Amino acid sequence: MTKHQKLGVLFSIIYCIGVLFFFIMSLQNGDDSSNKSSFLTDIVIKLIKTFNKNLEIKYQLIHLIVRKVIGHFGYSCFLGVLGFLSWYFLRLKIQESVLINLIVGLFIASISELLQLIPNDRGPSFGDIFINYAGYFFGVILIVFIVKVILKKN
């Protein structure tokens, strides 16, 4: 096994754990999911307040932004990066890695939302599928750009 393939296996393991975590989070009931994002919301508000103590902050708006930007877009972006690196290091083909990951990313975005049919107080959202996929897509495009820059330098 080459050094690149070993990296591909490592990224694949991390990626699979990340996808599993994403799916597990989708199975949480509404209260548990809300509590996790509320914790992050409190941190974000404290950070904002360090820069401007007098700023009036609408908690629900920050909570929505945290859930959508960090929980959906950000985590999906992270998975997109890992997914691309997994496939790329196993095969060393950029176009193939992009195509496979854009298909897999849509599957993951959709399944993560459909899993929300299982808890009683949650449900899937087409908007969240779009946000998840947009994050995954952005992650793939971002890492492709970085890989191409690195390859040009070498």
Side-chain angles (χ1 to χ4, degrees), residues 8-73:
V9 169
L10 175 64
F11 280 121
S12 295
I13 291 168
I14 297 168
Y15 177 70
C16 288
I17 292 168
V19 170
L20 182 63
F21 177 76
F22 199 46
F23 288 165
I24 289 170
M25 296 303 287
S26 296
L27 291 169
Q28 289 189 327
N29 66 47
D31 288 339
D32 288 345
S33 177
S34 182
N35 288 339
K36 283 184 179 48
S37 56
S38 292
F39 173 75
L40 287 174
T41 301
D42 293 341
I43 292 171
V44 169
I45 288 173
K46 285 178 186 174
L47 284 171
I48 293 170
K49 289 284 190 177
T50 60
F51 296 106
N52 188 343
K53 293 182 188 339
N54 300 325
L55 184 65
E56 185 177 324
I57 297 175
K58 296 190 186 286
Y59 185 87
Q60 292 304 323
L61 176 62
I62 301 299
H63 191 239
L64 177 69
I65 292 169
V66 164
R67 280 187 10 248
K68 302 303 179 188
V69 174
I70 295 173
H72 289 274
F73 188 90

Side-chain angles (χ1 to χ4, degrees), residues 83-137:
F84 175 83
L85 290 174
S86 299
W87 196 260
Y88 175 73
F89 279 115
L90 289 171
R91 305 279 297 170
L92 295 177
K93 295 180 180 175
I94 291 177
Q95 289 179 329
E96 182 180 300
S97 300
V98 169
L99 180 62
I100 293 294
N101 271 281
L102 293 182
I103 293 168
V104 170
L106 183 57
F107 178 75
I108 290 171
S110 300
I111 294 299
S112 70
E113 285 301 309
L114 289 175
L115 285 172
Q116 291 182 26
L117 287 168
I118 296 171
N120 289 334
D121 58 348
R122 291 183 79 181
S125 162
F126 183 75
D128 286 349
I129 292 172
F130 176 78
I131 294 168
N132 291 342
Y133 189 65
Y136 200 99
F137 181 86

